[in-house]
Amino acid sequence: SSGINAEYGAKTLITYSSSHGYILTLSELTSTTESWKCGVRDPETGEHFLESFQITESPCNYGEGDVGSGECEVCDKGKYSSEGRCVGCPEGMMSSPGCTRCVGILAGDVVSRDKTSLVTSFSVETGSFTDELKENLYLIRVGEGGSKEYFTVTNFTNSEGEMVVTEVGGGTYNVSLVRSETNVPDNVRSVVESWEGGIRDYLTGSYTTLPFTITLNKYCTSGTGYTDNDATVCTKCPRNTYSDNNTCKACPSGQRSQEGWDTCVDVDSKGAAYYVLAGSAGALALILVLMISAICWTRRRRHPDVVMANPNVENNRQATSKTAAL
């Protein structure tokens, strides 16, 4: 797996790759068609187990096909070059012009709210797993005017998150953009990002991708929202309004609310605020009674000759209540 190099003649090189097995790389062919055999030798018996194959020189470059009389043209979208010809992609697979293979890509638009974690994924079916394929999986951010920023798993340096590639079986890669937190600027309610996901043909440099969007919507917490159609910052909903789906809406007729509420109550309903105030008033009244009782008790101890008046007895007769019930 460390790599074994052996020269074979003046124009060939045999190398070993841990992910591919043995690879025969030809700098050029000695004839239009060459016949080869590959296999293994039994070290004990010396017997060779070989398979034959041929290498045929094509007049066309990678991603091109012979259209006759030695003329080549770039293979169209939906086709790939194979043995010097342009071949249509299998059903469910796709390619860009000038590709040497077809792939299956699945990608979809994503809608999320800001200030949350976000995972955006797409898959690329290649039919096999190799280092070259993995290193050429791409996330592409599309900017204003069609400008593009290219990311691979080896060069992804975006501060917004990380790019993760996993093998999910059947020669399919799953590519994810993972963000720990998303943010929407104060001057807008939402942001729509344009992306592409796919693979680069490492033999021709052609990109086969699918576009998708990431929409980030600002989220207003309970009791807050936009107060008018032009607002972009979440604020506390005013009195007699309530928050509903990022908007401060007026309370229905016959209902009311306090500032920062997410619901309205009936006008004749005492509501939670009433009971809070009533409870506070009762507590203050109890404290006042206890303070008066303590003062009276203290004065009686200091002046034992003073007879404290009984508030329920007036001029030697039972007093009648002069206060109305609350």
Side-chain angles (χ1 to χ4, degrees):
S1 60
S2 60
I4 301 173
N5 298 326
E7 291 187 1
Y8 180 79
K11 300 178 180 179
T12 63
L13 181 68
I14 299 175
T15 61
Y16 178 77
S17 167
S18 59
S19 59
H20 297 80
Y22 284 95
I23 302 173
L24 173 62
T25 304
L26 301 176
S27 58
E28 66 177 82
L29 293 176
T30 57
S31 62
T32 303
T33 301
E34 294 184 354
S35 297
W36 290 78
K37 291 183 179 181
C38 66
V40 64
R41 173 182 174 274
D42 188 316
E44 294 184 358
T45 64
E47 184 179 1
H48 289 82
F49 300 90
L50 303 174
E51 289 289 339
S52 300
F53 65 95
Q54 288 185 329
I55 300 176
T56 302
E57 182 179 13
S58 170
C60 302
N61 296 320
Y62 290 120
E64 296 180 348
D66 189 351
V67 295
S69 302
E71 295 184 7
C72 301
E73 64 178 13
V74 175
C75 296
D76 293 333
K77 178 180 180 180
K79 295 183 178 182
Y80 69 103
S81 63
S82 175
E83 298 180 355
R85 298 181 298 111
C86 292
V87 183
C89 291
E91 184 178 357
M93 307 292 274
M94 60 187 294
S95 71
S96 293
C99 283
T100 61
R101 69 168 59 229
C102 297
V103 295
I105 303 177
L106 292 177
D109 297 336
V110 177
V111 178
S112 182
R113 71 185 196 186
D114 70 334
K115 302 190 185 309
T116 60
S117 59
L118 174 65
V119 178
T120 306
S121 300
F122 68 91
S123 65
V124 180
E125 180 184 350
T126 61
S128 61
F129 297 124
T130 69
D131 293 340
E132 287 84 358
L133 291 173
K134 182 177 180 180
E135 292 169 0
N136 282 275
L137 295 168
Y138 271 84
L139 264 171
I140 305 171
R141 183 199 286 272
V142 182
E144 295 182 2
S147 63
K148 294 185 177 182
E149 188 177 7
Y150 294 80
F151 299 105
T152 68
V153 70
T154 56
N155 75 354
F156 192 87
T157 57
N158 195 312
S159 60
E160 297 179 359
E162 60 178 329
M163 180 176 173
V164 179
V165 176
T166 55
E167 299 174 1
V168 295
T172 299
Y173 292 97
N174 191 69
V175 184
S176 299
L177 172 60
V178 183
R179 296 181 181 178
S180 58
E181 184 174 351
T182 57
N183 293 287
V184 175
D186 289 339
N187 61 337
V188 294
R189 293 188 181 186
S190 64
V191 172
V192 179
E193 300 177 353
S194 296
W195 290 82
E196 293 179 9
I199 190 169
R200 173 182 175 270
D201 191 316
Y202 60 87
L203 293 174
T204 66
S206 236
Y207 290 87
T208 301
T209 62
L210 273 184
F212 64 92
T213 60
I214 301 175
T215 302
L216 302 175
N217 294 316
K218 191 171 291 182
Y219 174 73
C220 298
T221 58
S222 177
T224 68
Y226 303 126
T227 55
D228 57 61
N229 292 333
D230 297 325
T232 60
V233 178
C234 301
T235 58
K236 277 189 177 182
C237 291
R239 186 177 179 182
N240 294 328
T241 66
Y242 68 102
S243 63
D244 179 40
N245 193 25
N246 283 8
T247 304
C248 294
K249 298 181 179 179
C251 289
S253 177
Q255 293 189 335
R256 65 178 178 83
S257 72
Q258 297 296 322
E259 182 184 38
W261 281 20
D262 60 1
T263 188
C264 298
V265 297
D266 294 336
V267 171
D268 58 353
S269 173
K270 293 181 176 61
Y274 170 84
Y275 293 106
V276 171
L277 293 174
S280 300
L284 290 174
L286 178 61
I287 293 173
L288 183 60
V289 169
L290 293 175
M291 290 177 63
I292 294 174
S293 299
I295 292 172
C296 293
W297 181 79
T298 302
R299 290 184 60 188
R300 188 161 187 175
R301 288 196 59 186
R302 292 179 179 177
H303 307 283
D305 297 334
V306 177
V307 178
M308 304 300 292
N310 187 340
N312 295 321
V313 178
E314 184 177 67
N315 296 328
N316 296 321
R317 71 176 186 276
Q318 188 71 23
T320 60
S321 174
K322 296 182 181 180
T323 59
L326 295 176

